[in-house]
């Protein structure tokens, strides 16, 4: 058998006081005192209810804040993942910007040197391209 809580005890005491009130003589000091006691008990019950409601409200607020923080953390994690992907993409593009011209120049240089095995640049195409083989931005 579980112990009764304060709220149940308070409700029982209020019910008892109301029953006892009907037995007292109207206008007597005892009845006035009993009414004052009953009013105090009602105030206690109201305060108890307020405390319970405040506790419930605080708990609900903590739960909502926890959910909001979880959603914020998930959003931040997604943003971080997107930033990492974007960073890798930028690095890949930068590497391609460097490697593609180097590969292109390497292929043309090899073909040009094969064509110019004599040691002189006699081909008009290769002579015009030799100045552009420097992998720098113009």
């Amino acid at each position: 058998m579980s112990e009764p809580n304060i709220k149940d005890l308070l409700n029982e005491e209020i019910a008892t006081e109301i029953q006892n009130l009907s037995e007292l003589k109207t206008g007597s000091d005892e009845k006035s005192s009993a009414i004052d006691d009953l009013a105090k008990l009602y105030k206690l019950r109201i305060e108890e209810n307020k405390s319970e409601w405040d506790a419930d409200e605080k708990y609900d607020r903590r739960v909502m804040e926890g959910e909001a923080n979880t959603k914020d953390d998930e959003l931040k994690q997604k943003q971080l993942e997107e930033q990492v992907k974007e960073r890798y993409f930028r690095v890949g593009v930068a590497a391609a910007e460097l490697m593609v011209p180097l590969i292109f120049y390497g292929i043309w240089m090899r073909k040009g040197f094969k064509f110019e095995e004599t040691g002189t640049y006699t081909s008009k195409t290769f002579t015009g391209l030799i100045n552009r083989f420097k992998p720098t931005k113009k």
Side-chain angles (χ1 to χ4, degrees):
M1 185 173 181
S2 65
E3 292 184 31
N5 62 22
I6 293 174
K7 189 175 183 179
D8 293 338
L9 292 174
L10 194 55
N11 286 335
E12 288 175 18
E13 186 64 29
I14 289 172
T16 304
E17 286 293 324
I18 290 173
Q19 288 174 354
N20 292 339
L21 194 62
S22 62
E23 297 172 2
L24 297 175
K25 186 177 177 185
T26 305
S28 69
D29 288 338
E30 291 176 343
K31 191 164 190 172
S32 295
S33 176
I35 290 172
D36 288 343
D37 291 343
L38 186 59
K40 289 177 186 175
L41 289 172
Y42 263 83
K43 286 180 184 178
L44 280 173
R45 186 164 83 182
I46 290 170
E47 291 300 318
E48 182 68 25
N49 287 340
K50 282 182 183 178
S51 296
E52 188 176 311
W53 295 333
D54 287 345
D56 288 344
E57 184 180 338
K58 286 179 183 178
Y59 174 78
D60 291 343
R61 190 177 308 128
R62 279 195 305 265
V63 168
M64 288 190 310
E65 287 174 355
E67 290 173 357
N69 287 340
T70 301
K71 288 179 183 177
D72 286 346
D73 291 344
E74 289 173 2
L75 180 62
K76 287 177 184 178
Q77 184 65 28
K78 286 180 183 178
Q79 288 175 343
L80 184 61
E81 289 171 2
E82 289 297 320
Q83 287 175 350
V84 167
K85 288 178 186 177
E86 183 179 343
R87 198 172 301 135
Y88 280 128
F89 179 75
R90 286 184 181 177
V91 167
V93 167
E97 286 177 346
L98 179 65
M99 296 303 292
V100 168
L102 287 175
I103 292 170
F104 174 75
Y105 293 141
I107 292 170
W108 274 101
M109 288 289 279
R110 188 173 308 140
K111 288 186 180 204
F113 283 132
K114 196 163 210 146
F115 182 74
E116 300 288 342
E117 288 179 348
T118 61
T120 59
Y121 301 116
T122 57
S123 155
K124 297 277 186 209
T125 305
F126 190 66
T127 306
L129 287 177
I130 196 72
N131 293 330
R132 300 193 184 271
F133 281 158
K134 297 176 189 162
T136 58
K137 292 186 177 182
K138 301 250 180 215

